[in-house]
Amino acid sequence: RSRAKPAPSACSVVPGVPAPPKDDPAWAGNTDGTVVTYVCKLDGLNGTTVVTQRWVPPAAAAVDPGALAQQVLATMGLTAIEIGMVPEEGADRLGVVGMPVWMWVKDPTPSTIGPITASDTAGGITVTLDANVTSIEWDLGDGTVVHCAGEAARGTEYVDSFDLQESPTCGHIYAKQGAPYTITATSHWEVAWTGGGEAGVIPLDLVATTTRDIGELQVLTTQ
């Protein structure tokens, strides 16, 4: 009996191709498992492609790369962001109508914003996942939804020296008071996976929630 050879590089599985008869050389003397057909691109030969067949043992033949990718994703520990926001949270904190609101990812980690990579092997097939947050959708509770994408997804952390400036990346201004507004930050993850001659993208949304009180600035006049 022969051992299974690894799938050629730069190759992908050709679905729906039946295995050849058991006396075909592709079986390499084996009688169990199956024979998988690959189409491969050869480097340095002007993009020439070839078709090859490899014997795959029973355990490997039973592995679904997409299902394995889902299993790996479940172990990666991806979580919603920790919300950073001005006005800050607290009973003694109050935002003001017309004043800039800043939103950002507080203390970002690979588990909350990416990038993060993980892989696992089963039945001779290795699947690798690369996950990253592509955008964060902020529902400010007043009917406004702000999309912060790409590099702006992390937002910009507010410091006192910014005073009344507006956020350069991810911000909002409330037009009316509310006590409280419920705010949700939805992280849109893109989880790309490859393995077993296949590839795909798993979308994933994770949600964090907070509240803020927004009031109006009262001006007193005296005569």
Side-chain angles (χ1 to χ4, degrees):
R1 293 168 61 89
S2 298
R3 298 180 61 185
K5 297 180 180 180
S9 60
C11 298
S12 58
V13 173
V14 180
V17 178
K22 292 293 181 71
D23 59 355
D24 189 283
W27 285 89
N30 297 283
T31 58
D32 58 359
T34 190
V35 169
V36 175
T37 300
Y38 298 91
V39 60
C40 308
K41 183 176 180 180
L42 302 181
D43 293 334
L45 294 178
N46 298 320
T48 300
T49 59
V50 297
V51 175
T52 185
Q53 291 183 310
R54 297 291 179 94
W55 171 71
V56 179
V63 173
D64 178 350
L68 180 56
Q70 291 282 358
Q71 294 175 26
V72 176
L73 175 58
T75 69
M76 293 179 72
L78 306 184
T79 63
I81 67 166
E82 182 177 355
I83 291 177
M85 191 171 184
V86 166
E88 298 174 341
E89 186 177 21
D92 59 342
R93 302 288 185 175
L94 181 67
V96 177
V97 169
M99 294 295 185
V101 173
W102 291 53
M103 299 95 72
W104 69 91
V105 179
K106 184 178 180 180
D107 299 327
T109 68
S111 295
T112 60
I113 194 73
I116 184 171
T117 300
S119 63
D120 196 7
T121 300
I125 291 178
T126 298
V127 169
T128 300
L129 278 66
D130 294 300
N132 192 50
V133 170
T134 58
S135 65
I136 297 178
E137 179 182 286
W138 294 83
D139 186 329
L140 281 305
D142 63 346
T144 302
V145 176
V146 176
H147 296 269
C148 302
E151 291 298 322
R154 293 172 177 253
T156 303
E157 184 174 357
Y158 180 85
V159 295
D160 290 342
S161 62
F162 292 150
D163 198 19
L164 298 181
Q165 297 179 52
E166 295 184 20
S167 171
T169 51
C170 197
H172 178 57
I173 294 178
Y174 283 98
K176 59 182 179 180
Q177 63 182 355
Y181 282 119
T182 297
I183 298 152
T184 60
T186 302
S187 305
H188 297 299
W189 287 83
E190 183 177 273
V191 185
W193 65 269
T194 58
E198 300 182 27
V201 175
I202 305 171
L204 177 67
D205 293 342
L206 298 174
V207 179
T209 304
T210 188
T211 60
R212 291 294 188 275
D213 291 335
I214 303 296
E216 291 186 343
L217 187 64
Q218 303 295 322
V219 178
L220 299 178
T221 60
T222 59
Q223 295 183 348

